[in-house]
């Protein structure tokens, strides 16, 4: 989840600070909305179902999700929570990551390390400003019990109000620390690995940064960076379990990262921490392709069409 950060280095020259403008913020929001409304939310729903229902396999997950609401079952939590999240978190990532990357570069560290720090800082900023509540409510929508074939279902806003009444602001931000850890490692590795992949492509074809990668090369680099970022799947499973509304005998009432990890280990062993890896692999690739390769292309179009 996020957007590409424009480079803050000038080949052969001093570090130049990249201004954050409304056009770039709009690009981030548009690309995030596109990503989540197309393949993003179905991948998210399948991934979350498998992480919360760790006894299910992929076929069972598809069957249960379809039974809950047909094709629209794969878009649970899209409106309004995923849309609210998508339309805000891109702007936060752009601002935070570009500022951190600029400061890191001026301190003299390498562009790769600066990008890594920028991605990590941007991910943390996302989690604690816009994502905590929205991610929690998306998980609630996917994991809460929904009776099939009844019109007497509690609305998503009523669920949020009920949780706030019972548990206060902490209740509707449950698992935010796990979200922050996930986003920090997500975008640190996505941006870093995508840059490494781009460097590798440049070396293979014997060129430098003066000759930009073409569209397919950018897509390939983004897919590699996004796909390999699933190394932190255990953090995602812990986040889902902390926010899940499933009721299981023996499950700790008040979960933190430590006792949640212990519960997953006790009930599912090591493999429990990797449930949902396959759909998350697809999600990571799709998000990074949209937000890195797609974001670059859209920014270039906006710049050429409307001026800098």
């Amino acid at each position: 989840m996020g957007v590409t950060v424009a480079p803050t280095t000038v080949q052969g020259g001093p570090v130049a600070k990249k201004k954050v403008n409304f056009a770039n913020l709009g690009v981030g929001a548009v690309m995030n909305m596109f990503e989540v409304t197309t393949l993003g939310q179905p991948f998210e729903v399948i991934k979350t179902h498998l992480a919360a229902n760790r006894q299910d396999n992929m076929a069972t997950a598809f069957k249960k999700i379809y039974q809950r609401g047909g094709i629209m079952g794969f878009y649970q939590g899209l409106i309004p929570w995923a849309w609210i999240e998508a339309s805000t978190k891109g702007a936060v990532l752009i601002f935070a990551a570009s500022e951190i990357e600029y400061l890191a570069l001026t301190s003299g560290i390498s562009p790769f390390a600066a990008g890594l720090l920028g991605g990590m800082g941007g991910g943390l900023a996302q989690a604690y400003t816009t994502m905590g509540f929205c991610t929690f409510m998306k998980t609630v929508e996917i994991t809460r019990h929904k009776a099939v074939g009844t019109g007497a279902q509690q609305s998503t806003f009523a669920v949020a109000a009920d949780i706030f009444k019972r548990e206060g602001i902490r209740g509707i931000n449950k698992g935010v620390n796990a979200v922050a850890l996930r986003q920090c490692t997500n975008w640190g590795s996505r941006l870093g690995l995508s840059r490494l992949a781009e460097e590798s492509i440049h070396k293979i074809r014997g060129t430098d940064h003066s000759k930009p990668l073409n569209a397919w090369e950018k897509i390939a680099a983004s897919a590699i960076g996004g796909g390999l970022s699933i190394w932190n799947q255990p953090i995602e499973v812990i986040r889902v379990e902390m926010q899940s509304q499933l009721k299981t005998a023996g499950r700790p009432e008040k979960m933190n990262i430590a006792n949640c990890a212990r519960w997953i280990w006790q009930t599912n062993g090591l493999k429990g921490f990797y449930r949902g890896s396959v759909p998350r692999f697809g999600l990571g690739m799709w998000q990074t392709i949209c937000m890195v390769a797609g974001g670059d292309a859209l920014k270039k179009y906006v710049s050429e069409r409307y001026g800098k």
Side-chain angles (χ1 to χ4, degrees):
M1 317 175 169
V3 300
T4 185
V5 179
T8 54
T9 58
V10 177
Q11 294 296 322
V15 175
K17 187 174 181 180
K18 178 69 176 177
K19 290 183 179 180
V20 178
N21 55 50
F22 288 110
N24 280 347
L25 299 182
V27 167
V30 167
M31 292 309 300
N32 263 298
M33 291 288 284
F34 171 78
E35 175 270 318
V36 75
T37 307
T38 51
L39 296 177
Q41 192 62 14
F43 276 131
E44 180 76 24
V45 170
I46 298 166
K47 174 203 70 177
T48 302
H49 178 95
L50 288 170
N53 301 271
R54 290 182 294 278
Q55 74 285 355
D56 289 355
N57 56 32
M58 188 76 74
T60 304
F62 270 88
K63 182 178 179 181
K64 288 183 177 180
I65 293 167
Y66 188 81
Q67 288 176 340
R68 285 204 299 264
I71 294 299
M72 295 310 297
F74 293 89
Y75 287 89
Q76 282 182 296
L78 176 66
I79 303 172
W81 310 116
W83 275 5
I84 294 172
E85 180 185 81
S87 61
T88 55
K89 68 181 183 180
V92 172
L93 182 67
I94 285 179
F95 178 79
S98 60
E99 292 299 311
I100 293 169
E101 189 171 15
Y102 169 73
L103 292 173
L105 285 168
T106 56
S107 72
I109 69 173
S110 70
F112 169 75
L116 188 67
L117 289 174
M120 292 171 66
L124 287 171
Q126 282 183 318
Y128 287 119
T129 55
T130 67
M131 288 188 67
F133 173 55
C134 292
T135 302
F136 172 61
M137 287 310 303
K138 284 194 302 179
T139 306
V140 168
E141 281 299 290
I142 295 167
T143 61
R144 72 185 175 105
H145 174 72
K146 294 190 176 185
V148 179
T150 176
Q153 204 61 249
Q154 191 177 23
S155 74
T156 183
F157 290 105
V159 172
D162 181 58
I163 293 171
F164 182 77
K165 184 178 179 181
R166 287 187 286 108
E167 304 179 50
I169 193 68
R170 288 190 175 186
I172 59 175
N173 278 283
K174 191 180 296 180
V176 69
N177 290 332
V179 173
L181 186 58
R182 181 195 71 175
Q183 289 305 104
C184 176
T185 53
N186 266 1
W187 282 105
S189 59
R190 284 177 183 174
L191 290 176
L193 291 171
S194 293
R195 288 190 177 182
L196 281 177
E198 289 178 4
E199 290 292 328
S200 298
I201 292 172
H202 275 298
K203 288 179 180 178
I204 289 171
R205 71 179 193 177
T207 60
D208 57 26
H209 293 86
S210 63
K211 186 177 181 182
L213 301 181
N214 62 40
W216 288 110
E217 289 168 336
K218 288 284 291 183
I219 288 171
S222 299
I224 291 169
L228 292 179
S229 68
I230 66 163
W231 65 267
N232 66 354
Q233 180 65 10
I235 300 171
E236 173 66 354
V237 173
I238 291 170
R239 190 276 302 175
V240 170
E241 184 62 38
M242 289 178 71
Q243 297 179 336
S244 175
Q245 298 300 289
L246 296 176
K247 304 299 180 183
T248 307
R251 184 177 185 268
E253 284 294 323
K254 295 183 178 180
M255 278 192 167
N256 54 43
I257 291 176
N259 65 17
C260 182
R262 191 159 51 246
W263 166 250
I264 294 169
W265 176 267
Q266 291 171 349
T267 54
N268 299 100
L270 182 62
K271 67 179 182 180
F273 289 99
Y274 292 91
R275 298 297 294 157
S277 295
V278 173
R280 186 155 182 254
F281 181 81
L283 177 62
M285 290 180 65
W286 183 240
Q287 284 179 333
T288 314
I289 287 171
C290 287
M291 309 320 299
V292 177
D296 281 350
L298 184 56
K299 284 201 293 186
K300 181 180 179 182
Y301 170 79
V302 171
S303 178
E304 291 175 351
R305 179 69 175 79
Y306 299 103
K308 295 183 181 180

